[in-house]
Amino acid sequence: MKKILLTGDRPTGKLHLGHYAGSLKNRVKMQDDYETFIMVADVQALTDNYDNPQKVRDNVFEVVADNLAVGIDPEKVTYFIQSQIPQIAELTVFFSNMVTVSELQRNPTVKTEIGQKGHLFKDGNVTFGFLGYPVSQTADISFLKAEVVPVGEDQMPVLEQANRILKKFNRYYGKTFPEIKGVVGEIARLAGLDGRKMSKSLGNAIYISDSEEEVAKKIRKAKTDSENKLYYDLEKKPEISNLMEYYKLATGKSFEEIEEEFKDITYYIEFKEKLTEELNNFLKPFRERRKKYEENPQLVWDILERGRKKVLERAEKNMAEIKERMKIDY
Ligand code: TRP
């Protein structure tokens, strides 16, 4: 029997190349070797977007379309929406006994995110829901007894927390859940066009769904330096090194090969033009696949409905066992 792989995306915006490098690429690669589940984390998205439910609603389609676009095949993989599986919420409550408030407050991912969401959590005054999202994420993964979780590098502390929760649960109630293993992409962290973390909120992202013109415009405007010589040096030339990362992602070439290819250029523009072309070649099959779903969104909703039914059945079965272990199987 295949091991179970589960991962999720918060539906708060379209997915970009940072998501691709960190996680989506691994999902595509791993979908044949694992029984794969892709969850739309709408409940988690609401923990820091409770003031904007329409945004979360609108992006459910977008994140599923992006996963489909990169080639995560709905014939092999199960797609579902977090809020449609009540057992996840139930398990979150059970898991909340397995973690202290101060452990969550010390979690590096949670801490960073609270800092970034200053407008919601004034003076560090975080909601119960947001502070607890690693607990609910543990439930997302473990209600299906998933073992393999492709995520962006920033999520690793959340998965370490998950394992502490599972270990405690197994100790008190008997071995129920397998340990989980986070899998991070080869390019663990792809920076944005300005060298900071690629992020929707920073306006520095190239999206899976960007048009040829959008890509061309973004690359044309990308910052460089005044040397007009192409080599990889993240300290000295962060902007150029970063654009070289994009080139590497699009072509699969090494930095040495890229340096060799552009050793005779006079101006960076020559590199930028080629980069635009390669990025657009790379994104072309994604755009084509995505178009089918944009033209017929019902296809996406049908995939999610099929997933809901399948996952619900599994959730009921696993929950019966969990409750038995916890002696609440009346
Ligand atoms: N927190 C994850 C992120 O921001 C999204 C997520 C929610 C997730 N539930 C999950 C990832 C379960 C993996 C497994 O990227």
Side-chain angles (χ1 to χ4, degrees):
M1 242 177 50
K2 285 182 182 173
K3 283 191 183 173
I4 298 174
L5 179 154
L6 182 139
T7 189
D9 300 299
R10 293 184 196 177
T12 55
K14 294 179 172 187
L15 303 181
H16 51 59
L17 290 183
H19 295 115
Y20 182 82
S23 176
L24 297 172
K25 192 177 174 186
N26 272 337
R27 300 177 192 180
V28 177
K29 211 164 57 190
M30 297 169 91
Q31 63 183 331
D32 293 313
D33 300 329
Y34 296 91
E35 186 183 12
T36 300
F37 294 86
I38 307 289
M39 187 188 77
V40 183
D42 60 342
V43 176
Q44 186 176 116
L46 285 166
T47 62
D48 58 351
N49 292 277
Y50 54 80
D51 55 343
N52 197 352
Q54 193 61 46
K55 175 170 110 179
V56 174
R57 174 73 185 233
D58 293 341
N59 280 300
V60 171
F61 173 85
E62 303 297 341
V63 298
V64 175
D66 285 332
N67 275 275
L68 291 164
V70 300
I72 301 165
D73 182 352
E75 297 303 318
K76 296 180 193 159
V77 163
T78 307
Y79 286 88
F80 70 100
I81 301 176
Q82 184 185 17
S83 64
Q84 294 193 315
I85 310 298
Q87 287 82 358
I88 297 176
E90 209 177 349
L91 191 55
T92 302
V93 175
F94 302 157
F95 281 166
S96 70
N97 294 327
M98 303 290 115
V99 61
T100 64
V101 173
S102 76
E103 241 181 302
L104 292 167
Q105 284 166 334
R106 282 196 308 267
N107 187 292
T109 310
V110 175
K111 254 165 100 173
T112 309
E113 289 175 333
I114 292 173
Q116 290 163 348
K117 318 257 146 89
H119 59 291
L120 278 185
F121 308 132
K122 290 191 187 66
D123 307 315
N125 224 340
V126 64
T127 57
F128 179 60
F130 189 81
L131 184 67
Y133 98 70
V135 184
S136 115
Q137 189 158 321
T138 309
D140 297 340
I141 297 165
S142 295
F143 86 100
L144 281 173
K145 301 194 181 186
E147 293 184 62
V148 178
V149 186
V151 282
E153 180 187 43
D154 58 313
Q155 286 288 303
M156 288 311 272
V158 175
L159 299 189
E160 284 157 24
Q161 178 62 68
N163 273 326
R164 287 195 294 276
I165 290 172
L166 298 173
K167 213 168 151 189
K168 249 191 184 174
F169 188 102
N170 287 342
R171 184 156 51 140
Y172 287 116
Y173 306 118
K175 174 117 180 69
T176 311
F177 300 106
E179 196 179 331
I180 64 185
K181 192 167 156 274
V183 183
V184 174
E186 210 178 302
I187 305 173
R189 184 177 183 278
L190 192 70
L193 288 156
D194 59 357
R196 291 185 291 171
K197 183 184 169 187
M198 192 179 279
S199 146
K200 180 181 154 66
S201 53
L202 296 174
N204 62 4
I206 296 177
Y207 293 94
I208 307 272
S209 52
D210 273 351
S211 67
E212 288 192 12
E213 296 71 31
E214 281 163 327
V215 170
K217 190 166 147 214
K218 285 176 180 178
I219 297 301
R220 212 180 313 121
K221 289 204 320 205
K223 259 182 80 178
T224 53
D225 54 58
S226 54
E227 199 182 2
N228 276 308
K229 199 163 158 18
L230 199 88
Y231 58 95
Y232 188 85
D233 185 337
L234 207 49
E235 297 274 293
K236 202 174 140 209
K237 294 164 79 71
E239 296 92 353
I240 281 295
S241 300
N242 199 25
L243 294 178
M244 286 176 72
E245 281 280 11
Y246 298 176
Y247 200 82
K248 182 179 171 198
L249 179 71
T251 62
K253 289 180 182 164
S254 68
F255 293 134
E256 294 73 35
E257 287 170 317
I258 301 167
E259 284 166 10
E260 176 63 24
E261 185 176 347
F262 295 98
K263 68 178 183 332
D264 296 327
I265 60 168
T266 316
Y267 296 108
Y268 285 137
I269 183 74
E270 298 164 56
F271 167 64
K272 280 188 164 185
E273 278 170 3
K274 194 73 204 303
L275 172 61
T276 301
E277 189 188 319
E278 293 290 0
L279 277 173
N280 279 328
N281 284 341
F282 171 73
L283 292 172
K284 194 168 174 226
F286 300 173
R287 288 188 192 116
E288 281 165 9
R289 244 183 254 122
R290 204 177 196 282
K291 193 156 171 265
K292 173 172 128 194
Y293 297 103
E294 285 162 2
E295 284 168 359
N296 189 359
Q298 190 55 41
L299 292 174
V300 167
W301 299 109
D302 290 347
I303 288 167
L304 288 167
E305 177 56 15
R306 248 197 292 143
R308 184 188 70 83
K309 288 199 183 111
K310 175 170 166 188
V311 169
L312 203 54
E313 216 172 275
R314 296 275 279 271
E316 280 166 4
K317 188 172 144 276
N318 287 343
M319 193 47 82
E321 184 201 341
I322 292 163
K323 287 187 167 174
E324 197 186 311
R325 293 279 161 88
M326 295 179 69
K327 304 204 181 298
I328 50 177
D329 57 329
Y330 310 105

